[in-house]
Amino acid sequence: MSATAEITNESKSESKWVNGVNVTALAATLGAIGEQPALGRFQFRARNRWIGGARNSSTIKGFYGAGREDATRRDAYVFDADEPPVLLGEDKGANPVEYLLHALAACMTTTMVYHAASRGIEIDAVESSFEGDIDIRGFTGLSNDVPKGYQRIRVTFRVKTGGDAGVLTELVRMSPVYNSVCGSVPIDLTVETH
Amino acid sequence: MSATAEITNESKSESKWVNGVNVTALAATLGAIGEQPALGRFQFRARNRWIGGARNSSTIKGFYGAGREDATRRDAYVFDADEPPVLLGEDKGANPVEYLLHALAACMTTTMVYHAASRGIEIDAVESSFEGDIDIRGFTGLSNDVPKGYQRIRVTFRVKTGGDAGVLTELVRMSPVYNSVCGSVPIDLTVETH
């Protein structure tokens, strides 16, 4: 956390790194949030524009966190979504439920790596695979008994480490996207027409 | 659905299109799934590899659906994730919770467009914005009372259409990612070490 780094005057050369994570800065960050809980509040954002049919594009740039609006990110990230032909698209991008699996994979991986680093558990390699089952009778409205979202997601991690698999499993379960998907997030929805 | 298109011998020139969606093929797809519910079953997949620190990369290619393994997608989609400096990364990619907002945005947009097309509701333009609140005291373990995932997500759509905003709101709520996030998806997690 840059604010924290300024406060504690940590320089990179003096920091301890585990798993590619600056655990000196991580500890300082945790200390700063412990003292000022409001520093823990973040808001992330995306804007999306429909292109046509199954194609649309999201732009991601600004966010708020650690008590300030971010000023470090210069370029926006842009992601295009589409559907494959079997779902009546042109496959010009991954589809939305595939992006969800990526979000889950990325978050669970980073969560494992950060929390392991914080505990001094060294990790040499992480690979993972994700499978999500969905029955589009739910989405299409053909059946009211079938969930509209994923019915189940299977996740398998293969980790090269001297650490304990049970401990790593508990660390992975701290993941924000994991908890957003296996728990319930309230979504406020407004649709305006013009 | 290509299998359906083969069965019904629809050619593109004979099809009716609404919102860039082939509604003739869409109706045929719904009819085919209605007759053979197993055609509604899909499985999407992602593989992820850790690069170091907050950086990791997902590869998305194969999927199963409509009774067969997909054979149309030739190239994989690859997405890199990172964290911004305030979260101890190098900002070489959007972060996982930002990707979740993109997945949500893309899915809700496509869901609105498809279901509106199916009902003959013409849409000229769709833009949307997404804000997700998260307090990293949950993720970090600094507080057990704070959710680890998003606390709340606000979604605003602006749609250029003659259609009714209330009807569009109900259509958007059919979205698989929306339902995966505001509902609960069981996740089977296995961590293997070597």
Side-chain angles (χ1 to χ4, degrees):
Chain A
M1 181 173 292
S2 48
T4 308
E6 288 162 19
I7 293 165
T8 58
N9 289 318
E10 307 282 11
S11 75
K12 190 163 176 172
S13 59
E14 295 166 347
S15 297
K16 184 182 173 195
W17 292 68
V18 179
N19 304 336
V21 178
N22 183 337
V23 292
T24 309
L26 179 56
T29 298
L30 294 176
I33 298 173
E35 288 177 17
Q36 295 186 64
L39 292 178
R41 287 193 211 128
F42 280 69
Q43 181 186 92
F44 294 99
R45 305 172 193 134
R47 302 185 73 82
N48 186 280
R49 186 177 60 82
W50 178 49
I51 297 169
R55 294 185 66 192
N56 61 72
S57 179
S58 290
T59 301
I60 291 170
K61 185 165 187 272
F63 66 89
Y64 174 91
R68 62 177 72 173
E69 190 69 19
D70 175 66
T72 66
R73 187 181 277 170
R74 285 172 304 183
D75 298 320
Y77 294 108
V78 177
F79 305 109
D80 289 356
D82 196 355
E83 294 287 348
V86 71
L87 292 171
L88 307 176
E90 297 177 332
D91 199 28
K92 300 288 191 188
N95 85 354
V97 291
E98 291 177 320
Y99 273 110
L100 179 62
L101 294 183
H102 163 55
L104 188 61
C107 197
M108 293 175 80
T109 298
T110 299
T111 299
M112 179 192 292
V113 167
Y114 270 43
H115 277 288
S118 182
R119 284 158 181 74
I121 302 169
E122 292 188 6
I123 292 177
D124 295 322
V126 185
E127 290 185 347
S128 53
S129 61
F130 293 72
E131 295 176 348
D133 299 332
I134 190 165
D135 187 329
I136 64 168
R137 287 182 298 156
F139 158 70
T140 55
L142 284 169
S143 170
N144 290 324
D145 302 328
V146 172
K148 292 175 172 55
Y150 273 122
Q151 295 176 303
R152 184 167 288 275
I153 296 172
R154 285 173 299 283
V155 179
T156 304
F157 274 89
R158 287 164 294 280
V159 188
K160 190 172 177 188
T161 179
D164 179 76
V167 171
L168 294 177
T169 302
E170 291 314 303
L171 298 184
V172 169
R173 290 192 199 278
M174 309 281 280
S175 154
V177 176
Y178 173 87
N179 283 279
S180 297
V181 172
C182 72
S184 303
V185 180
I187 301 179
D188 299 328
L189 170 60
T190 304
V191 178
E192 301 166 353
T193 57
H194 63 98
Chain B
M1 180 173 292
S2 48
T4 307
E6 286 161 22
I7 293 166
T8 57
N9 289 316
E10 308 282 11
S11 75
K12 189 164 176 173
S13 59
E14 296 166 348
S15 297
K16 184 183 173 193
W17 292 68
V18 179
N19 303 337
V21 179
N22 183 339
V23 292
T24 309
L26 178 55
T29 299
L30 294 176
I33 299 172
E35 287 177 18
Q36 293 186 65
L39 291 178
R41 285 192 211 127
F42 279 69
Q43 182 186 92
F44 293 99
R45 305 173 193 133
R47 301 185 74 83
N48 186 281
R49 186 177 61 81
W50 178 50
I51 297 169
R55 293 185 65 191
N56 60 73
S57 180
S58 290
T59 301
I60 292 171
K61 185 163 186 274
F63 65 89
Y64 174 91
R68 64 178 69 175
E69 190 69 19
D70 175 66
T72 66
R73 186 180 278 169
R74 287 171 303 183
D75 299 320
Y77 294 108
V78 177
F79 304 109
D80 289 355
D82 197 356
E83 294 288 349
V86 69
L87 292 170
L88 307 176
E90 297 175 333
D91 198 29
K92 301 287 191 188
N95 86 352
V97 291
E98 290 177 320
Y99 274 110
L100 179 62
L101 294 183
H102 163 55
L104 187 61
C107 196
M108 293 177 78
T109 299
T110 299
T111 299
M112 179 192 292
V113 167
Y114 271 42
H115 277 287
S118 183
R119 284 159 181 73
I121 302 169
E122 293 189 4
I123 291 176
D124 295 322
V126 184
E127 291 185 347
S128 54
S129 61
F130 293 73
E131 295 176 350
D133 298 332
I134 190 165
D135 186 331
I136 65 169
R137 286 182 298 156
F139 159 71
T140 55
L142 284 169
S143 169
N144 291 325
D145 302 327
V146 172
K148 292 176 171 54
Y150 272 123
Q151 295 176 302
R152 183 167 289 273
I153 296 173
R154 283 173 299 282
V155 179
T156 303
F157 275 90
R158 285 164 294 279
V159 189
K160 191 174 175 188
T161 179
D164 179 77
V167 171
L168 294 178
T169 302
E170 291 314 302
L171 298 184
V172 170
R173 290 191 200 279
M174 309 282 280
S175 154
V177 175
Y178 173 87
N179 282 279
S180 296
V181 173
C182 70
S184 304
V185 179
I187 301 178
D188 300 328
L189 171 60
T190 303
V191 177
E192 301 166 353
T193 57
H194 62 98

